[in-house]
Amino acid sequence: MDNVLIPPHLDWVTSPKITPEIIRSWKGVRRFGALTAYDYPMARWLDEAGVPLLLVGDSVGMVVLGHPDTTHVSMNDMEHHIRAAARSQPNGCLGGDLPYRSYETPAEAVLNAQRLVAAGAEFVKAEGGREIETHVRAITAAGIHFCGHLGMLPQHILEEGAYRIKGRTDTEHERLLSDARLLEAAGAFAVVLELVTPPVASEITRAISIPTIGIGSGPDCDGQILVTSDLIGAFPWFTPRFVKPRVQTVAAARQAVVGWLAELSAGQVLAPARHSRD
Ligand code: KIV
């Protein structure tokens, strides 16, 4: 197998199991893609496609469970979906989101992070910067890998009222930069930057020594993450502006079902109904 050429995006497949430490070591060395996975088949085919970082995101609440936002997702929901995804035993690194209000205190954050790890997560992610610093320190001190999440924070949608781009004002810019440094110092192995203006995302990427993983934050982050359902047209009723679906899965599946139904009704010879009076 010495002379088999491995495509560059798949060369990690020949390496041992991908861990948060390995992702961390890619800073400045390689760019990578990450995608959300919500159940066994999804985690399995994404892993087979060579995705090195899989996230059971609390976006599961919107694109799988039918809620209007992520604030409806519970710890039980997250454990259920993490368990399913973990059964695929991916070679990629599998993490899970701490859901809304599951990390109000450092002690609660550790307890719930431990529950997600017991369900099969290799790291946990939570939203926020300085306001969760002690929580992040407690999680990493407990030996649990942590990924930060800055910028637009979906779990804050009720206070914010809309999904808005962050980093446009000097105050937001400074706050994002110092929060990213603070998460790095608290032991995070990576940080997601969601809907951060591209110049600010680029500056943060240059300023910290852990990988940034952008979503709608321009091309300069170390990694890019998307909600898989957006990328494959599996939730066609809403697609964020920054995503171009590569395939229209639901449209194709719907067409297949329509065709099957049509064949059934065309092939069906309906005998005239017989009633006992006939
Ligand atoms: O919940 C989620 O899917 C996420 C990512 C898209 C970053 O947090």
Side-chain angles (χ1 to χ4, degrees):
M1 293 281 284
D2 278 356
N3 52 4
V4 173
L5 279 180
I6 309 277
H9 82 285
L10 282 180
D11 61 2
W12 64 266
V13 170
T14 56
S15 70
K17 164 87 184 126
I18 300 295
T19 61
E21 289 93 343
I22 290 178
I23 303 277
R24 160 85 184 73
S25 76
W26 288 345
K27 176 76 185 185
V29 175
R30 64 177 306 163
R31 294 190 175 224
F32 58 93
L35 285 167
T36 58
Y38 306 115
D39 57 24
Y40 172 87
M42 203 176 196
R44 185 167 172 173
W45 69 256
L46 285 170
D47 196 53
E48 288 170 357
V51 181
L53 194 155
L54 302 169
L55 174 72
V56 184
D58 60 356
S59 51
V60 69
M62 297 170 79
V63 298
V64 174
L65 302 178
H67 293 301
D69 57 59
T70 60
T71 66
H72 302 263
V73 177
S74 67
M75 273 298 297
N76 286 344
D77 291 331
M78 290 309 302
E79 287 176 302
H80 179 77
H81 286 275
I82 290 168
R83 272 193 215 104
R87 278 183 205 113
S88 70
Q89 301 187 319
N91 193 56
C93 185
L94 179 76
D97 271 340
L98 280 165
Y100 184 61
R101 290 207 168 149
S102 69
Y103 49 102
E104 306 254 271
T105 64
E108 192 187 19
V110 172
L111 215 72
N112 283 326
Q114 284 166 337
R115 280 177 62 178
L116 298 190
V117 169
E122 297 164 74
F123 68 88
V124 301
K125 176 168 83 57
E127 298 181 5
R130 63 201 64 193
E131 67 279 18
I132 62 163
E133 179 186 3
T134 49
H135 311 53
V136 177
R137 286 190 184 277
I139 289 171
T140 56
I144 296 170
H145 295 290
F146 181 81
C147 178
H149 187 150
L150 296 173
M152 194 283 290
L153 306 179
Q155 290 177 10
H156 290 247
I157 185 63
L158 301 181
E159 305 105 86
E160 298 249 330
Y163 297 105
R164 262 183 286 106
I165 294 174
K166 298 288 176 170
R168 284 185 161 146
T169 64
D170 288 348
T171 316
E172 280 181 3
H173 175 170
E174 287 313 316
R175 191 180 169 103
L176 283 166
L177 193 57
S178 62
D179 279 353
R181 289 195 167 117
L182 189 148
L183 290 174
E184 175 188 12
F189 75 93
V191 58
V192 167
L193 299 178
E194 180 158 4
L195 288 186
V196 172
T197 61
V200 173
S202 179
E203 185 180 343
I204 294 171
T205 301
R206 281 179 274 111
I208 60 176
S209 66
I210 55 173
T212 57
I213 309 174
I215 172 161
S217 299
D220 291 340
C221 295
D222 299 293
Q224 296 287 337
I225 187 164
L226 288 176
V227 167
T228 303
S229 314
D230 297 336
L231 185 66
I232 64 168
F235 192 83
W237 307 279
F238 172 77
T239 308
R241 254 183 281 163
F242 57 85
V243 186
K244 273 204 197 81
R246 299 285 175 126
V247 57
Q248 292 293 351
T249 315
V250 164
R254 201 192 280 131
Q255 212 38 54
V257 170
V258 166
W260 179 70
L261 289 174
E263 270 176 35
L264 278 184
S265 51
Q268 208 170 350
V269 181
L270 290 177
R274 294 185 64 85
H275 299 290
S276 53
R277 267 182 286 130
D278 292 344

